[in-house]
Amino acid sequence: IVGAEGLLRWRLPGHGDIPPSQFIPLAEESNLILEIGEWVLNRVCLDYRTLRREVAEPGRISLNLSLKQLRQASFIVRCRSVFRRHGVSPSAFELEITESTLMADARRTVHLLGELHAMGVHLSIDDFGTGYSSLAYLKRLPLTTLKIDQEFVSDLTHDVDDEAITSTIINMGHSLSLNVIAEGVETAAQLQFLHDHDCDEVQGHWISH
């Protein structure tokens, strides 16, 4: 195990766990995502400090960033303040943005990600292959990681197109000196394919729920 991802669930009495695919769009629409995002960052920093008391090297913890968080004028200052308040190093964290978030305001995002990188935060492109990112911008970003969307991983060994796309993304990521992670790995066959094609890391239920 080389790290973990902070994942949000809404546990509503009488309804069970509501997945983020249902409540995050509502949070974005109502601007509650700003408060939720700050709560998540604080909570993960607290959890990381607890984990560090039990494990000498817990690895990196990744978190998802929304477009509205990035658009906050004070976003960088807030991040720096949270890390300082909890006494954790920014280098312990990896912030994930989707392709669609990146391309919504590419020039400004490139600048913001540069500031986060200078702070020591690791950066990754999440759900790669499902958006319309410009390779020209990818080259300019201070990225460390590229994550293959589970949409391509789920049919590995059953769909030759998904196999071709996945292997191409791995090769492209390596050519850009990026660490490549495959999401949604749930079977031994998927894991074997990714191993055979030199994918660096995997995450999914095959590893841990």
Side-chain angles (χ1 to χ4, degrees):
I1 295 174
V2 294
E5 180 172 357
L7 297 171
L8 198 60
R9 296 292 182 272
W10 181 10
R11 187 156 291 169
L12 191 62
H15 295 273
D17 283 359
I18 299 176
S21 59
Q22 290 184 28
F23 68 82
I24 290 296
L26 294 174
E28 291 263 11
E29 200 175 299
S30 64
N31 280 337
L32 274 172
I33 194 66
L34 300 178
E35 293 175 55
I36 291 172
E38 190 151 348
W39 180 87
V40 167
L41 185 58
N42 275 284
R43 179 55 194 258
V44 168
C45 285
L46 281 170
D47 288 346
Y48 182 79
R49 286 185 62 182
T50 301
L51 186 61
R52 203 170 54 184
R53 285 195 289 268
E54 300 172 8
V55 182
E57 295 293 338
R60 286 204 301 273
I61 310 297
S62 62
L63 293 169
N64 294 285
L65 275 185
S66 79
L67 180 59
K68 287 197 173 179
Q69 284 177 278
L70 276 174
R71 282 180 171 167
Q72 278 182 295
S74 59
F75 178 69
I76 300 293
V77 174
R78 285 169 180 262
C79 281
R80 190 177 284 115
S81 173
V82 170
F83 293 138
R84 189 181 298 122
R85 185 186 317 136
H86 294 288
V88 296
S89 170
S91 64
F93 298 92
E94 184 165 85
L95 299 181
E96 301 182 7
I97 60 169
T98 62
E99 286 185 272
S100 54
T101 297
L102 166 64
M103 297 313 297
D105 189 355
R107 288 186 179 180
R108 184 170 183 272
T109 304
V110 167
H111 175 71
L112 284 172
L113 295 185
E115 289 193 66
L116 287 167
H117 178 71
M119 196 193 304
V121 176
H122 297 268
L123 300 165
S124 74
I125 292 289
D126 195 17
D127 300 341
F128 188 81
T130 59
Y132 301 95
S133 65
S134 161
L135 294 180
Y137 275 110
L138 271 187
K139 189 177 67 172
R140 290 170 52 193
L141 291 168
L143 298 172
T144 51
T145 305
L146 186 154
K147 299 185 80 172
I148 305 172
D149 187 70
Q150 58 187 356
E151 180 181 321
F152 304 117
V153 175
S154 61
D155 280 335
L156 286 182
T157 72
H158 299 296
D159 187 309
V160 292
D161 291 335
D162 283 348
E163 290 181 359
I165 290 169
T166 299
S167 60
T168 299
I169 293 174
I170 293 170
N171 290 331
M172 190 193 75
H174 288 163
S175 71
L176 293 170
S177 301
L178 298 175
N179 189 49
V180 181
I181 300 177
E183 299 181 290
V185 177
E186 297 187 351
T187 69
Q190 291 166 351
L191 183 66
Q192 188 61 53
F193 178 92
L194 293 162
H195 178 274
D196 292 344
H197 289 79
D198 297 323
C199 188
D200 301 299
E201 297 169 17
V202 299
Q203 69 179 89
H205 289 170
W206 184 255
I207 305 300
S208 172
H209 283 263

